[in-house]
Amino acid sequence: MVAAVIADIVASRELDDRPAAQRELEQTLAQIAEVAPAALSPLMPTVGDELQGVYPDLAAALVTTMLLQLALPAGIELRFGIGLGEIHDIPSARGPLSEGAAWWAARSAIEQVEQLARRAAPTARTRVAATDAGPHDLELVRVANSGLLARDRAVAQLSPRTRRIVYGRWLGRTQKEIAASEGVVQSAVSQALATSDGGAVIEGLRALADPLH
């Protein structure tokens, strides 16, 4: 079982400069690919504002999507559908086409999170789904989705600067180094972490990533 990820740009038609946003997005994707858990197929643009990728398990997909939320430039947001299941290739004149239960589940998940954001949870950006899954996997999906609602809300409440600070701390940069890059004093970095949910976001990342190393 793998984790297939489908992502799209939130409100892509409302962006002032769509080509520039695409360039910034692809630069961020390249950066994340270097620091996130190894992907079977890293998130890459496909058609329009959509991206697709495949990860070895749910934890790897969750770490990658959270890092992307932190690292994306201000004004660009992604929505993620993560599908658990099997995938396989289908021969095609244009090369192998990836298909399977994980992709169907990912498509269902991104549709679900879009509906959630329109109704009950405006900050919802990530959802997990599984098709043809057993009781254990279905429980995993329920637990993950419960936590993701809180995670996405915590990230949404961070200012763009605090997101950069949290991301920098995750990369191992010191507060002094981050302060210099942000053009602020070190105490401002410390205060940003102390008065936001940044510390909790880092701990959440650590809980997911530690078993991978």
Side-chain angles (χ1 to χ4, degrees):
M1 183 176 70
V2 300
V5 180
I6 296 175
D8 62 20
I9 303 173
V10 177
S12 62
R13 296 181 182 180
E14 299 174 11
L15 293 171
D16 292 334
D17 191 336
R18 179 69 176 83
Q22 188 69 28
R23 289 193 297 271
E24 291 182 301
L25 171 59
E26 293 183 10
Q27 290 170 0
T28 305
L29 289 170
Q31 294 169 8
I32 294 299
E34 295 180 358
V35 299
L40 300 178
S41 176
L43 269 173
M44 294 291 290
T46 53
V47 177
D49 64 357
E50 186 169 289
L51 306 93
Q52 294 183 2
V54 182
Y55 295 83
D57 51 38
L58 178 58
L62 292 178
V63 170
T64 301
T65 54
M66 183 184 279
L67 290 175
L68 270 169
Q69 286 176 303
L70 294 173
L72 283 170
I76 302 176
E77 287 188 86
L78 290 179
R79 178 170 38 228
F80 305 97
I82 303 173
L84 304 182
E86 302 300 326
I87 61 173
H88 55 272
D89 289 339
I90 295 178
S92 165
R94 298 184 62 183
L97 302 176
S98 184
E99 190 175 286
W103 288 118
W104 306 329
R107 181 67 62 188
S108 174
I110 202 168
E111 292 172 355
Q112 291 173 28
V113 77
E114 184 175 10
Q115 292 174 0
L116 268 175
R118 288 177 177 174
R119 299 184 288 106
T123 59
R125 292 293 180 268
T126 319
R127 191 79 175 172
V128 182
T131 58
D132 301 326
H136 176 270
D137 292 333
L138 291 177
E139 181 180 8
L140 180 63
V141 168
R142 289 194 296 269
V143 172
N145 283 331
S146 176
L148 284 169
L149 287 171
R151 181 188 97 169
D152 288 347
R153 179 170 174 77
V155 173
Q157 292 177 331
L158 301 178
S159 69
R161 171 175 286 173
T162 304
R163 291 190 194 190
R164 293 194 299 270
I165 290 172
V166 171
Y167 181 62
R169 289 295 290 154
W170 174 254
L171 295 180
R173 299 173 65 196
T174 66
Q175 291 189 13
K176 183 177 181 179
E177 291 171 335
I178 295 171
S181 66
E182 291 291 334
V184 299
V185 296
Q186 183 176 339
S187 61
V189 174
S190 178
Q191 184 178 16
L193 290 170
T195 58
S196 70
D197 289 323
V201 170
I202 291 173
E203 289 303 312
L205 272 167
R206 185 172 291 119
L208 287 168
D210 280 351
L212 300 175
H213 299 289

